[in-house]
Amino acid sequence: MNLIHIWLRGLVAPNITVGKRERILSCIGAAVGLFGTEWICRYALGASSPWFIAPMGASAVLLFAAPASPLAQPRAIIVGNLVSALIGVAVASHWGNSGVAAGLAVSLSIAAMFGLRCLHPPSGAVALCAVLGDATISKLGYGFAIWPVTINSVLLLLAALLFNNFTGRRYPHQPVALGNPHHTRDPLPQARSGLTVADLEAVLNNHGELLDVCQEDLIDVLMKAEHRVLRRRLAGIRCKDIMSRDVITTRPDAF
């Protein structure tokens, strides 16, 4: 029963803490980015060529709805899509268009992206397209990795760079600086008595699963949460509230 309860809880929609402005920008950005990429590719090649691939829709979700995600950074989309396309074509050339080949292509793509530190979920769909694509894609061979995959990726990335920075977002995402703002040699107090990078790395190593946030941003969020807890716990407290009034005193010349 506990397993069933846990499984059913997984169907409950989690709370997405994203403001209204960010949601609107995500929708507009995806529309603009995909329209621009599609238009340029179709203008260059014409409707008779494979000028656009479906995985770009998934990439657009990451680049415009979650631009701070490590999975949405430039290296992830460019290298991830390129490597996955090459693997997909290689697998299809040896094992054909079977379901086994499809699973193998995606599996090898994930392994390669982990090794190259360019994990990008839509890249799995890119590998799948290379295996299960129609005759037009099959004829392209390894050229499929360049056109349309890499060209689509570069154009969509350029759109994300322009749109996200124009609307005030940080993209490519720069992690929060954890340096010492006091410019002293000693570490900050929270680094000595509070949460440290070493603490977080130890917990993440034990956790094992991938978290879709960089360590610096995670530390920043946790520290800000700690500060809120302290402010709430200590709000309104004065020295007179916690200090004794009937203290025992003595004079320097009492002895």
Side-chain angles (χ1 to χ4, degrees):
M1 292 298 295
N2 289 335
L3 291 176
I4 295 176
H5 179 68
I6 293 173
W7 186 83
L8 291 175
R9 286 182 58 187
L11 299 178
V12 179
N15 182 29
I16 300 178
T17 54
V18 178
K20 183 177 180 180
R21 177 180 181 274
E22 284 298 309
R23 298 188 186 201
I24 294 174
L25 289 177
S26 300
C27 298
I28 296 175
V32 172
L34 288 174
F35 172 77
T37 303
E38 187 272 347
W39 184 85
I40 293 175
C41 291
R42 181 170 54 178
Y43 180 80
L45 283 184
S48 61
S49 301
W51 38 264
F52 206 44
I53 56 174
M56 290 299 105
S59 293
V61 175
L62 285 171
L63 268 63
F64 295 99
S69 169
L71 309 179
Q73 300 314 299
R75 176 184 175 84
I77 181 174
I78 299 298
V79 181
N81 283 348
L82 175 60
V83 169
S84 297
L86 292 173
I87 291 175
V89 173
V91 170
S93 64
H94 288 85
W95 285 279
N97 305 105
S98 65
V100 174
L104 182 61
V106 175
S107 176
L108 292 176
S109 296
I110 293 174
M113 286 187 287
F114 268 126
L116 295 173
R117 296 184 299 171
C118 59
L119 193 64
H120 187 63
S123 299
V126 172
L128 203 60
C129 285
V131 174
L132 302 180
D134 57 19
T136 306
I137 292 179
S138 299
K139 290 179 181 178
L140 291 175
Y142 288 100
F144 172 72
I146 304 300
W147 188 282
V149 173
T150 300
I151 300 301
N152 280 184
S153 302
V154 170
L155 291 174
L156 189 62
L157 174 60
L158 290 175
L161 287 168
L162 293 174
F163 182 85
N164 286 329
N165 286 282
F166 179 77
T167 54
R169 292 166 158 182
R170 293 182 299 167
Y171 188 81
H173 181 67
Q174 299 297 321
V176 176
L178 298 177
N180 192 335
H182 299 163
H183 304 291
T184 60
R185 294 182 179 179
D186 294 330
L188 294 175
Q190 61 264 32
R192 285 173 277 174
S193 60
L195 178 67
T196 66
V197 175
D199 294 330
L200 183 61
E201 288 181 348
V203 173
L204 291 177
N205 289 333
N206 291 331
H207 182 72
E209 297 180 8
L210 174 69
L211 294 182
D212 191 12
V213 60
C214 67
Q215 291 186 8
E216 293 83 358
D217 287 348
L218 185 56
I219 290 178
D220 182 60
V221 170
L222 292 175
M223 284 184 173
K224 289 178 179 177
E226 286 182 349
H227 292 164
R228 286 183 61 87
V229 172
L230 289 174
R231 285 199 300 268
R232 182 173 66 250
R233 183 179 300 169
L234 302 177
I237 296 180
R238 301 290 186 269
C239 290
K240 64 180 182 180
D241 299 326
I242 58 176
M243 293 182 65
S244 299
R245 296 176 182 273
D246 56 340
V247 295
I248 299 175
T249 61
T250 184
R251 296 173 57 84
D253 57 353
F255 300 97

